[in-house]
Amino acid sequence: MSASAAPSPSPDDRRPILICGPTASGKSGLALALAERLNGVVVNADALQVYDGWRVLTARPPAGDEARAPHRLYGHVPPSEPYSTGRWLAEAGDEIAAARASGRVPILVGGTGLYFTALTEGLADIPPTPPAIRAAAEAELARLGLPAFAEALRARDPETHARLDLANPRRVLRAWEALETTGRPLARLQAETPPPVLALTDARAIRLMPERETLYAGIDARFAAMLEEGALDEARAAMDWEAPASTAMQALGAAELIAHLRGEMSLDEARELAARATRRYAKRQLSWARNRLGAWPAAATPAEAFRALTGEA
């Protein structure tokens, strides 16, 4: 796979750069290389790398990389706080403006595709979910299980159900919560979306779409490296967090490593289950990008993406 046809960038192109791709595809390294080459600021677009306490397990850029170029919206949220797409959109908009004001190129990078669609297509103005409604929805999900819960949503809101990633419990919960909170289908609320913060035509975008076998091998190797770099210590520390937000505990591998620390499985079992869950997640990310970001140029490797974005051989 090579980068799809796109106009060659001019040397003075200062438009923001958007990089979306699955976990372990080399996004962070690409963003750093571009930041160093183009006087850029790297802005996080990953829903879990925002959390303090998860550096190794979420593959947040190491401190050495953060010292080589400015990095924003990494590790700035306590584990006790929920974090929404709306909050990210506001913060990312501020970072884009600040980077531009300082003469730098904003480089937004991450695997949370919803952040990019919110940025370039707009985000529906949906009121926050009241705690009582959220608790009731989560209890219903736990009682029914995800497939039956999704089917219950379909019976009430077939329009939104048809557009959801039904393997993602947070997305199904969000649709249920919006219906309970507003009495209106999420799909219709989204249809009333205000203008985007950044039009896609005003940005340089690329999606990393590696070959699946290469990606899966990288996932397995990276998780083994994470264990050597302290992922187990992070999981142990997370066991002592007071009332962590459910979003903070969705870091891939966290549940398996915590289960190991509780004596529920061996480290080898935890490693295999975590790697398997990560591979499945990456597969969903690839499918989502094909379906929702099909207009973006694609590259199989970070090197291809770098050439496409800079025009350099």
Side-chain angles (χ1 to χ4, degrees), residues 67-154:
R68 289 166 56 184
H71 284 65
R72 303 287 185 257
L73 306 186
Y74 288 93
H76 68 300
V77 179
S80 59
E81 290 185 13
Y83 192 77
S84 68
T85 303
R87 177 175 168 183
W88 177 85
L89 187 61
E91 293 177 344
D94 290 343
E95 295 296 345
I96 290 170
R100 285 173 147 173
S102 66
R104 291 180 175 270
V105 176
I107 302 170
L108 289 85
V109 56
T112 303
L114 183 60
Y115 285 2
F116 288 105
T117 55
L119 181 71
T120 61
E121 299 174 14
L123 181 68
D125 185 14
I126 303 170
T129 303
I133 289 179
R134 172 153 294 163
E138 290 178 344
E140 188 70 356
L141 171 61
R143 184 181 73 83
L144 294 176
L146 181 57
F149 184 74
E151 181 61 20
L153 175 67
R154 186 191 66 77

Side-chain angles (χ1 to χ4, degrees), residues 113-311:
L114 183 60
Y115 285 2
F116 288 105
T117 55
L119 181 71
T120 61
E121 299 174 14
L123 181 68
D125 185 14
I126 303 170
T129 303
I133 289 179
R134 172 153 294 163
E138 290 178 344
E140 188 70 356
L141 171 61
R143 184 181 73 83
L144 294 176
L146 181 57
F149 184 74
E151 181 61 20
L153 175 67
R154 186 191 66 77
R156 300 180 62 194
D157 181 4
E159 182 180 359
T160 303
H161 178 276
R163 299 170 51 178
L164 287 176
D165 173 5
L166 299 176
N168 188 326
R170 297 310 308 174
R171 298 286 176 261
V172 180
L173 268 172
R174 184 67 181 122
W176 184 282
E177 291 168 356
L179 188 61
E180 289 286 301
T181 300
T182 68
R184 302 181 62 202
L186 180 60
R188 295 182 192 174
L189 294 169
Q190 291 172 335
E192 300 167 358
T193 301
V197 171
L198 178 68
L200 189 57
T201 53
D202 295 329
R204 288 179 282 173
I206 200 142
R207 54 193 169 102
L208 283 173
M209 300 292 285
E211 297 296 337
R212 190 172 297 177
E213 294 76 10
T214 301
L215 180 62
Y216 287 179
I219 287 171
D220 293 346
R222 190 177 73 172
F223 196 78
M226 284 178 174
L227 290 173
E228 295 181 359
E229 294 165 5
L232 203 57
D233 292 334
E234 285 188 345
R236 185 176 290 109
M239 294 172 69
D240 295 328
W241 290 348
E242 291 187 11
S246 59
T247 47
M249 296 307 294
Q250 290 174 22
L252 292 165
E256 292 81 3
L257 292 182
I258 289 173
H260 161 68
L261 291 169
R262 289 174 173 160
E264 298 168 7
M265 65 178 69
S266 70
L267 183 57
D268 285 342
E269 289 173 317
R271 180 191 293 111
E272 174 54 32
L273 289 174
R276 185 185 308 168
T278 305
R279 292 192 296 269
R280 289 174 177 166
Y281 179 67
K283 181 180 178 181
R284 294 200 303 272
Q285 287 178 302
L286 287 170
S287 297
W288 192 94
R290 288 191 195 95
N291 293 332
R292 292 299 308 275
L293 305 181
W296 290 31
T301 68
E304 285 185 13
F306 185 89
R307 289 193 296 270
L309 291 166
T310 64

Side-chain angles (χ1 to χ4, degrees), residues 10-51:
S10 65
D12 60 349
D13 191 343
R14 311 305 291 173
R15 289 176 298 162
I17 292 174
L18 312 179
I19 305 168
C20 186
T23 185
S25 59
K27 300 184 301 293
S28 296
L30 170 62
L32 177 59
L34 289 166
E36 292 184 313
R37 176 65 182 84
L38 303 174
N39 187 32
V41 175
V42 180
V43 181
N44 173 42
D46 183 281
L48 287 165
Q49 289 183 346
V50 302
Y51 281 107

